[in-house]
Amino acid sequence: MDLEYRQLDPHEESTFKELIEYSMPPVLEYLDGPEHYSTRVDMMEKWGLFDDEMRAAIGHERFDLKVREQWLDTVGSLVAVDPTERERGLTETMLRETYREFRDRGIVLAAGWPFDREFYRQYHSATLARFARVDGPISSLPARPIERELELVSETDYEQLDTVYRTFIADYDFTPDRTAEWWTAGLFESEETHAVVLGATDPVGYLVYRIVDHTFVVDDVAFASECAWIDLLNYIRRHASQATSFHVTLPTDVELLALLSDPAAVDYEVVLGPVGRVLEFPTAVERLDYGTTDATLTVAVEDDVATWNDGTFEVTVRDGDATVTESTKRPDVRLDIGTFTQLFVGYGGVERAMLTGTFQAHTDGVVETLATLYPQRSLFCPDRF
């Protein structure tokens, strides 16, 4: 039976939520708990596959991610399939239609936090960032006088936090462009959430946190200097009467262990972050600024999901601007769209791509050319989507 892929009518949204909640319990963890999850789902653009009723559902969020100093339009999607309809290829059908729909709207990337990394790999969504996850005793944090004034703030004061956030993410790519709606409706939804700003008149750091089962849980942190970071750690330590442990996620290059009185008591783990993929190869390549680079190369792209990418393209870069055309030439390099996406955002660089098994260089010098066009970047994505 043919299925119709279409946007939901308002009266169908309750069925959408039921299907999402039944099919994907792990989403509650990835979207920061049931309350936050409910708000996020309400804000999604909702689509489904129908015959006489909804057989599969997909919800979309729109946001911008920073890639090589540019904000790129991105879509994040949440997929659920009726349990009686699974293993019929409905997920692939919806993802292909989603990629086509948002490609036509000019969206560059699809990205999300996977409940199963291998599941999304078959659709060429590759890992695009990492982060450090740290758990330890609160007594191990540094103790010293805090140099600046601390002030508890609410969602109405989010502009102070946003100022620090913009400074903090200047050193990182793949960071989201947070909106006023995100600050007010997303981060501060729970009544247990608190926020403190370091430097009330001239903010240089902040923490957004909860105290859960005697653990000081940092939901969001940003700072302008190591001194500000140490002050924030000291603020956490001041809660030793309320919490015995702390939990925080950080960019992998942020120093923490050397600041602790007992580093061995802390669990420090580097964790894989979101996955994603380029929706249309020519659009993505042409969107970036390549500085003073001039180059010409022919690229064979493999993509059996968004098949409009499956082909050979000539990429010409002059004065930093790229032009992409279809080509019948012998390719200088062959790679799948997921591996290209990793190069595009700067995850690992060309050397890592060569180890994946989906990257084949056929011409001398092409590896060096790609390394110049797509050097490795420092990536950090603090938000769930």
Side-chain angles (χ1 to χ4, degrees), residues 164-180:
V164 181
Y165 174 74
R166 301 285 166 180
T167 300
F168 183 67
I169 67 170
D171 294 330
Y172 301 103
D173 277 358
F174 217 65
T175 48
D177 185 15
R178 293 177 174 174
T179 63

Side-chain angles (χ1 to χ4, degrees), residues 60-120:
H60 306 302
E61 293 181 286
R62 291 276 302 279
F63 47 92
D64 290 344
L65 291 174
K66 182 152 65 84
V67 175
R68 302 186 184 277
E69 306 300 327
Q70 298 183 53
W71 296 108
L72 297 186
D73 297 330
T74 306
V75 60
S77 300
L78 189 63
V79 182
V81 178
D82 187 310
T84 64
E85 302 293 330
R86 293 173 184 172
E87 300 184 1
R88 287 183 52 198
L90 300 189
T91 296
E92 182 173 339
T93 298
M94 282 202 301
L95 288 176
R96 181 182 291 112
E97 293 302 319
T98 292
Y99 298 157
R100 188 189 311 277
E101 170 71 26
F102 286 95
R103 173 205 67 177
D104 291 346
R105 298 190 200 181
I107 306 303
V108 177
L109 289 168
W113 289 79
F115 71 93
D116 183 335
R117 205 165 293 272
E118 288 300 318
F119 176 83
Y120 282 98

Side-chain angles (χ1 to χ4, degrees), residues 5-7 22 39 47 50 64 99-100 104 109 144 185 244 249 265 292 330 333 337 339 356 373:
Y5 177 75
R6 63 169 174 80
Q7 195 163 358
Y22 177 88
T39 298
W47 290 66
F50 295 82
D64 290 344
Y99 298 157
R100 188 189 311 277
D104 291 346
L109 289 168
R144 76 171 198 184
T244 56
T249 58
T292 59
R330 178 180 179 274
V333 62
I337 196 70
T339 301
T356 65
L373 293 172

Side-chain angles (χ1 to χ4, degrees), residues 10-266:
H11 72 273
E12 296 169 321
E13 293 196 2
S14 60
T15 305
F16 173 93
K17 287 186 178 181
E18 291 172 4
L19 186 55
I20 291 289
E21 290 169 1
Y22 177 88
S23 301
M24 297 188 66
V27 80
L28 299 181
E29 173 188 350
Y30 285 107
L31 295 186
D32 303 322
E35 293 179 355
H36 196 163
Y37 156 77
S38 178
T39 298
R40 295 281 293 276
V41 170
D42 287 342
M43 295 167 60
M44 287 178 175
E45 180 179 317
K46 303 172 185 66
W47 290 66
L49 279 176
F50 295 82
D51 46 25
D52 54 334
E53 57 187 272
M54 190 187 306
R55 300 300 181 184
I58 187 166
H60 306 302
E61 293 181 286
R62 291 276 302 279
F63 47 92
D64 290 344
L65 291 174
K66 182 152 65 84
V67 175
R68 302 186 184 277
E69 306 300 327
Q70 298 183 53
W71 296 108
L72 297 186
D73 297 330
T74 306
V75 60
S77 300
L78 189 63
V79 182
V81 178
D82 187 310
T84 64
E85 302 293 330
R86 293 173 184 172
E87 300 184 1
R88 287 183 52 198
L90 300 189
T91 296
E92 182 173 339
T93 298
M94 282 202 301
L95 288 176
R96 181 182 291 112
E97 293 302 319
T98 292
Y99 298 157
R100 188 189 311 277
E101 170 71 26
F102 286 95
R103 173 205 67 177
D104 291 346
R105 298 190 200 181
I107 306 303
V108 177
L109 289 168
W113 289 79
F115 71 93
D116 183 335
R117 205 165 293 272
E118 288 300 318
F119 176 83
Y120 282 98
R121 185 171 292 158
Q122 65 186 312
Y123 304 114
H124 303 293
S125 281
T127 299
L128 300 179
R130 299 183 299 167
F131 62 96
R133 184 165 59 201
V134 189
D135 295 272
I138 205 166
S139 58
S140 67
L141 295 174
R144 76 171 198 184
I146 295 178
E147 298 181 356
R148 295 174 179 83
E149 180 183 357
L150 291 160
E151 180 183 6
L152 288 169
V153 297
S154 69
E155 63 269 23
T156 59
D157 305 305
Y158 76 88
E159 291 182 353
Q160 291 178 277
L161 280 64
D162 190 65
T163 298
V164 181
Y165 174 74
R166 301 285 166 180
T167 300
F168 183 67
I169 67 170
D171 294 330
Y172 301 103
D173 277 358
F174 217 65
T175 48
D177 185 15
R178 293 177 174 174
T179 63
E181 185 177 47
W182 185 94
W183 282 110
T184 56
L187 197 59
F188 286 94
E189 183 177 19
S190 171
E191 293 182 358
E192 288 75 36
T193 298
H194 307 281
V196 64
V197 170
L198 179 68
T201 58
D202 183 19
V204 294
Y206 70 79
L207 289 169
V208 180
Y209 64 93
R210 293 166 292 134
I211 298 177
V212 182
D213 296 331
H214 303 290
T215 298
F216 192 104
V217 178
V218 179
D219 291 321
D220 191 35
V221 58
F223 43 88
S225 67
E226 186 172 76
C227 288
W229 172 224
I230 294 172
D231 281 349
L232 293 173
L233 292 174
N234 195 301
Y235 177 80
I236 299 174
R237 194 180 193 280
R238 290 184 177 185
H239 289 75
S241 62
Q242 299 164 265
T244 56
S245 61
F246 71 93
H247 169 85
V248 64
T249 58
L250 299 163
T252 55
D253 63 351
V254 169
E255 184 60 73
L256 176 59
L257 296 181
L259 304 175
L260 304 179
S261 60
D262 186 8
V266 169

